[in-house]
């Protein structure tokens, strides 16, 4: 029968083969990255609408903002899934997410905007957790562990 053990340097494992923390880190990175990848793809599929939305928020250089958003969302989302430069990537995505909340979801009297604002803030919190604790074993960052 398999025993559940705890090592002070790692998370719970079953005979060292199944590391709950590493699996949770991988699944968490994938789940939080999905919104960035899908949003980047959606922006590419409707650039005019996205640029118009950026302009409607009163932001300057909407075309540049569009390109930057696509780059951050796609490259950041994919890098986070792969666990590549995870801490820096998570910090960039957290900053991007807070900036998006402030720029596009700042009408907190509107229930929908209130929910979107705090969804972004919660996502930034999750990204800061990733920045603090890293990618885990199942990542490009963790390949030498």
């Amino acid at each position: 029968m398999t025993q559940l053990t705890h090592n002070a340097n790692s998370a719970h494992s079953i005979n060292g083969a199944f590391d709950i923390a590493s699996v949770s880190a991988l699944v968490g990175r994938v789940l939080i990255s999905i919104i960035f990848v899908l949003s980047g793809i959606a922006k590419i599929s409707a650039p005019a609408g996205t640029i118009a939305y950026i302009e409607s928020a009163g932001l300057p250089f909407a075309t540049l903002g569009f390109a930057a958003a696509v780059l951050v969302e796609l490259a950041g989302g994919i890098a986070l899934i792969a666990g590549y430069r995870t801490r820096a990537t998570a910090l960039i995505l957290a900053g991007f997410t807070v900036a998006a909340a402030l720029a596009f979801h700042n009408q907190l009297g509107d229930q929908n905007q209130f929910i979107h604002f705090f969804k972004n803030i919660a996502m930034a919190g999750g990204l800061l957790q990733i920045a603090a604790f890293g990618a885990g074993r199942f990542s490009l960052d963790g390949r030498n562990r």
Side-chain angles (χ1 to χ4, degrees):
M1 181 159 183
T2 311
Q3 286 188 309
L4 184 65
T5 61
H6 180 70
N7 179 330
N9 295 325
S10 68
H12 288 91
S13 63
I14 300 172
N15 290 340
F18 180 76
D19 181 348
I20 294 169
S22 293
V23 171
S24 296
L26 171 62
V27 171
R29 288 193 334 265
V30 170
L31 292 176
I32 205 162
S33 296
I34 290 169
I35 196 165
F36 292 104
V37 173
L38 292 177
S39 184
I41 291 168
K43 283 176 177 59
I44 289 172
S45 68
T50 303
I51 292 167
Y53 183 60
I54 294 169
E55 289 171 340
S56 76
L59 297 176
F61 311 110
T63 303
L64 182 61
F66 165 78
V70 169
L71 177 67
V72 168
E73 289 176 341
L74 286 178
I78 292 167
L80 201 60
I81 289 169
Y84 177 72
R85 298 189 182 206
T86 307
R87 292 174 191 259
T89 299
L91 285 174
I92 290 166
L93 288 172
F96 174 82
T97 303
V98 170
L102 293 171
F104 298 104
H105 306 301
N106 54 24
Q107 301 300 316
L108 299 182
D110 176 336
Q111 179 71 19
N112 188 41
Q113 292 301 312
F114 181 88
I115 291 168
H116 283 293
F117 181 88
F118 282 103
K119 170 211 37 128
N120 279 34
I121 298 304
M123 288 170 47
L127 289 160
L128 291 175
Q129 287 289 306
I130 294 169
F133 296 104
R137 183 170 52 145
F138 302 125
S139 65
L140 292 176
D141 292 346
R143 67 185 176 268
N144 295 325
R145 292 182 187 184

